[in-house]
Amino acid sequence: MPQPRLIIHIALALCLTAAAYQPAALAHAREGGDSVDNADVADGADHEYRTDGGVQPESKGDAAGAADNAAGTPGDAAAVEVSQPAREPAKTPLPARKLDYELEFECESGDIAAYLRSLSTLYERRDRPPATMRGLRGRIESDHELFEKALRSRGYYHSAVEISLEDERDPLLLRIRVDPGPLYRIIRYDVFGLPPVLESRSSEQWSELLGVGPHSPASADAVVGAEQKLILELLSLGYPFARVSRREIEVEHADRSMHVSLYLDPGLRARLGKIRVTGLREVEEKFVRRRIVLSEGDAYDPAKIEESRHILLSSGVFASVRIIHGDSLDGEGRLPITIEVTESKSRTIGAGVRYSSSEGFGGRAYWEHRNVMGGGERLKFSARASEIFYGSNLDYREPDFLEPGQDLLLDLSFDVQDTDAFRSEAIVLSAGVERRLLKTLSAGLGVTIERSVVDDLAVLGGGSISDTFDLIGFPLSLRYDSSDDMLDPSRGQRITATLTPYSEAIGSDVGMMVSRVSESFYIPLAARKKLVFAARVTAGSIAGVGDAAVPANKRFYAGGGDSVRGYDFQLAGPLDEDGDPLGGRSLLQFGCELRWRATPTIGVVPFVEAASISQDILPDLAGRLFWGAGLGIRYFTAVGPMRVDVALPLDKRPGVDDAFEIYISLGQSF
């Protein structure tokens, strides 16, 4: 009969021999086959369209390794401890050593390598190495399967993926070799079950609509994208319940092609039925119904539904707006619509501060009521002050005045300015209407009455002139805004044009025509606002009167945080003998910025700007330009970017311009 000690020794030797065996590489040969299952594209599409940067499934191997560690077993190496009976306390097992590793990607296509790296569990968790070889194998197997699906989703159905492990070095080396193989192409994309309204379209029209045609890549992007475009087209034609009932995909390896068959269930074409509004508390229902572009009996149109939602949100009265349709048609064959709103707080107070080395500290405070009489009427009182200016303003806006899309504007303001160019006190009363012509375009017409007392400090030959002016003007305005953000735009365009004639025939002390046009545009150079090019151009003119007769507070000036940074306020232009700015009857100003978001909260903005002031009624293109340049820092907050700019005058005048200027405020410069 064998001795117990001998049995224990044999068992120990067998366990150690089993633990010493580890596979050195995992490889996968090229797959064969004549067709691909629908799930290949579906799985690939799932990986392709994740918004969090990739698919990173949890590895069973890592979980198993964690369980091994919890049990006190270091990795896969099973150990049996045999000891003689003793009274000494048992020793705590040493913790398992982490299996540090390095990665090498080998692929002829840099784009594919970068794409697979973004999905890789091995790469994403390389700073958290597993404790066991089983855990590492789990990551390898997970990446191997994921890479194959990802390549199929891109149209590579005959790829080779090999992941080899060099375990004789420290850290371990994992070498990933990827040969994507040939790119397969879509040769046919057939759609069945089309409604009659779409059956007459030619194959060329279908290719343009779906974005696929002969020789398009056989990728999940193309297949799923075409489906989405088709459903959107059906929705726009009034089919609210359109869906894809079945999709069949055949892949031919012989000619490296894909054939897609799509079966539609368009449902019934619908018209709008009863429109209900829910969630109202203080806002009247007629305010909602006046502003939406939906009516009972209209054809179902998702674009009009989205436009109505945008109009209601932009009113400022609602915190949220949802427009949903019923699950089925009503008894009359129409589609019921429900508008669900949540009202925002109607009263708001706010304040802000700013600083510049040329204008000193400044601040602004306001109180606003956005629903004065239940119809979205706005009443706002604001006050502003700085070391060279203070004033207050009361304005009222009544939406849908006389007809939808037209607002009544009333405004009363009082301000006092004390600059190097002039001192003035002015009170202005204005009234007008503003009409929304398009989603991004509006026009205005009004009348303004102004009385001002102005001390002109910049007079050729020295001295000053004091005068009182009564002015009556009729401002015309046109405003276009397609930008994507009020305080931090990254794309789009803004154009503002104003024309204000003042006539002596109706009581104005000065007859003149003041015009001003300003355009700014924003071009994204990288995704997620990482890099944005922004530029601005402004031109202005005062016609109908000589330069000396124009009130000093109506002339054009340049220089300061909202003009040409680097120069003192209003000093980027001609000066009198005392060094005071003269201003002019025309203005030409332009500037550009490169807005780079270095981190999610920090941005760096180099900029350059220039301006020219002329006493002629048209900007002097050959006149002197005052150039300024600098560098800014942006700190991005929930309410907008905080900006700090330091600018230098590139045309520095001795005894006039400082070496640099500093500007601090909320929001981008333009």
Side-chain angles (χ1 to χ4, degrees):
M1 184 175 184
Q3 297 296 323
R5 185 180 299 276
L6 177 60
I7 294 174
I8 292 174
H9 286 174
I10 293 172
L12 177 61
L14 291 174
C15 290
L16 293 176
T17 302
Y21 175 76
Q22 294 289 351
L26 291 173
H28 178 71
R30 290 185 181 272
E31 63 175 2
D34 299 321
S35 63
V36 65
D37 196 301
N38 221 7
D40 288 336
V41 173
D43 289 342
D46 289 343
H47 298 310
E48 185 74 57
Y49 296 108
R50 281 183 61 100
T51 58
D52 58 0
V55 178
Q56 298 162 355
E58 186 65 33
S59 168
K60 294 181 180 179
D62 285 345
D68 288 344
N69 292 338
T73 303
D76 289 353
V80 179
E81 181 178 351
V82 180
S83 61
Q84 297 294 335
R87 296 183 181 180
E88 296 181 1
K91 296 182 179 180
T92 303
L94 293 175
R97 183 178 66 85
K98 296 292 185 180
L99 298 178
D100 294 321
Y101 60 84
E102 295 178 349
L103 287 175
E104 287 185 4
F105 271 82
E106 296 181 8
C107 182
E108 292 183 359
S109 171
D111 291 340
I112 292 178
Y115 171 59
L116 296 180
R117 189 180 292 111
S118 70
L119 304 178
S120 171
T121 302
L122 287 166
Y123 184 79
E124 192 270 337
R125 302 180 64 181
R126 64 193 183 281
D127 295 331
R128 291 171 289 164
T132 69
M133 189 61 73
R134 182 182 302 173
L136 183 58
R137 286 203 306 270
R139 294 188 187 184
I140 293 173
E141 292 168 359
S142 172
D143 271 10
H144 192 280
E145 180 181 359
L146 182 60
F147 288 172
E148 289 181 330
K149 289 184 177 181
L151 288 167
R152 286 197 296 270
S153 77
R154 289 262 177 128
Y156 297 97
Y157 287 88
H158 199 60
S159 61
V161 177
E162 179 184 342
I163 305 178
S164 61
L165 170 64
E166 296 183 12
D167 56 358
E168 297 180 355
R169 50 171 291 177
D170 188 13
L172 307 176
L173 176 63
L174 285 169
R175 183 173 284 109
I176 301 174
R177 298 182 179 90
V178 177
D179 179 7
L183 178 63
Y184 283 45
R185 303 283 180 175
I186 296 176
I187 60 170
R188 289 178 60 188
Y189 197 107
D190 297 328
V191 182
F192 303 94
L194 288 170
V197 69
L198 290 177
E199 288 181 344
S200 61
R201 298 197 178 185
S202 65
S203 58
E204 291 78 10
Q205 290 174 320
W206 276 115
S207 294
E208 182 178 355
L209 170 64
L210 302 181
V212 295
H215 309 300
S216 295
S219 64
D221 240 349
V223 174
V224 177
E227 288 183 18
Q228 293 173 345
K229 292 174 183 177
L230 183 58
I231 295 300
L232 288 175
E233 180 71 8
L234 289 170
L235 291 174
S236 68
L237 293 172
Y239 293 87
F241 304 112
R243 67 185 185 90
V244 175
S245 60
R246 191 167 85 256
R247 177 212 299 153
E248 294 179 356
I249 297 175
E250 297 178 4
V251 172
E252 293 292 340
H253 292 285
D255 58 359
R256 299 164 183 170
S257 65
M258 174 184 283
H259 175 203
V260 181
S261 298
L262 207 62
Y263 295 85
L264 292 180
D265 178 9
L268 296 175
R269 203 171 189 181
R271 291 190 173 274
L272 301 186
K274 184 178 180 180
I275 300 176
R276 296 174 56 246
V277 182
T278 64
L280 295 176
R281 294 183 294 105
E282 298 180 359
V283 179
E284 297 177 352
E285 186 171 325
K286 65 180 182 181
F287 170 77
V288 176
R289 295 190 178 276
R290 278 201 313 260
R291 298 185 76 81
I292 61 176
V293 292
L294 304 173
S295 300
E296 188 172 342
D298 289 350
Y300 173 79
D301 187 347
K304 286 189 175 182
I305 291 176
E306 177 58 26
E307 182 182 355
S308 297
R309 192 186 72 86
H310 175 78
I311 291 173
L312 292 176
L313 277 176
S314 63
S315 69
V317 177
F318 302 112
S320 67
V321 177
R322 292 181 65 219
I323 303 180
I324 57 178
H325 62 70
D327 296 330
S328 60
L329 303 182
D330 60 19
E332 299 179 355
R334 296 188 174 188
L335 186 67
I337 296 292
T338 300
I339 302 176
E340 298 178 352
V341 300
T342 302
E343 294 184 10
S344 59
K345 295 181 179 180
S346 58
R347 297 169 181 82
T348 304
I349 58 173
V353 295
R354 62 184 297 171
Y355 169 80
S356 76
S357 52
S358 62
E359 302 168 48
F361 285 96
R364 173 177 176 266
Y366 69 90
W367 172 90
E368 183 180 35
H369 194 315
R370 292 188 296 274
N371 189 34
V372 177
M373 294 181 287
E377 303 88 355
R378 288 190 178 192
L379 181 66
K380 183 176 183 179
F381 174 77
S382 59
R384 296 175 296 162
S386 71
E387 296 180 13
I388 61 173
F389 171 91
Y390 65 88
S392 59
N393 180 267
L394 180 66
D395 66 78
Y396 173 81
R397 176 184 287 263
E398 181 179 327
D400 303 320
F401 176 67
L402 299 181
E403 59 181 285
Q406 181 170 278
D407 296 351
L408 171 68
L409 309 177
L410 302 176
D411 186 271
L412 175 64
S413 66
F414 171 76
D415 64 68
V416 175
Q417 297 185 65
D418 187 359
T419 72
D420 291 339
F422 60 86
R423 287 190 297 266
S424 71
E425 297 180 4
I427 183 168
V428 182
L429 174 65
S430 62
V433 293
E434 183 180 77
R435 183 166 183 80
R436 186 176 63 253
L437 305 177
L438 299 171
K439 183 179 178 180
T440 56
L441 181 65
S442 61
L445 169 66
V447 59
T448 178
I449 302 173
E450 175 180 349
R451 163 161 281 205
S452 59
V453 179
V454 181
D455 293 331
D456 190 347
L457 305 179
V459 180
L460 291 176
S464 64
I465 299 176
S466 180
D467 206 344
T468 300
F469 297 93
D470 291 320
L471 300 175
I472 300 176
F474 297 91
L476 306 172
S477 65
L478 193 66
R479 183 166 57 90
Y480 174 84
D481 189 348
S482 62
S483 62
D484 60 348
D485 192 294
M486 180 63 68
L487 293 177
D488 187 21
S490 63
R491 64 177 66 246
Q493 186 179 20
R494 296 173 181 170
I495 301 176
T496 301
T498 58
L499 178 67
T500 306
Y502 296 90
S503 175
E504 294 176 311
I506 56 175
S508 288
D509 292 338
V510 179
M512 58 183 176
M513 181 85 71
V514 181
S515 58
R516 184 185 181 101
V517 178
S518 181
E519 177 186 11
S520 56
F521 58 90
Y522 312 92
I523 302 174
L525 303 179
R528 300 178 183 177
K529 296 187 176 183
K530 288 288 187 182
L531 189 65
V532 177
F533 176 77
R536 173 177 62 177
V537 179
T538 301
S541 174
I542 301 175
V545 66
D547 184 64
V550 178
N553 62 342
K554 294 296 181 184
R555 297 174 194 158
F556 292 112
Y557 300 90
D562 297 324
S563 178
V564 181
R565 285 164 285 182
Y567 294 90
D568 206 342
F569 184 66
Q570 297 182 339
L571 283 185
L575 309 176
D576 70 357
E577 296 176 356
D578 298 326
D580 297 324
L582 291 167
R585 289 192 297 163
S586 64
L587 163 72
L588 178 62
Q589 177 180 297
F590 52 88
C592 61
E593 296 184 341
L594 192 61
R595 300 171 181 173
W596 173 47
R597 183 171 289 200
T599 73
T601 57
I602 300 296
V604 179
V605 181
F607 57 87
V608 61
E609 296 168 330
S612 173
I613 299 293
S614 173
Q615 273 72 44
D616 297 327
I617 63 172
L618 294 178
D620 185 3
L621 300 179
R624 179 178 181 181
L625 285 172
F626 288 83
W627 290 87
L631 188 68
I633 299 296
R634 304 291 183 267
Y635 178 73
F636 298 98
T637 69
V639 296
M642 293 288 296
R643 72 178 175 106
V644 178
D645 294 335
V646 178
L648 310 175
L650 301 185
D651 295 292
K652 187 175 182 298
R653 295 160 294 185
V656 176
D657 302 314
D658 294 328
F660 62 89
E661 301 284 352
I662 300 175
Y663 310 92
I664 304 174
S665 66
L666 176 66
Q668 298 286 7
S669 56
F670 58 87

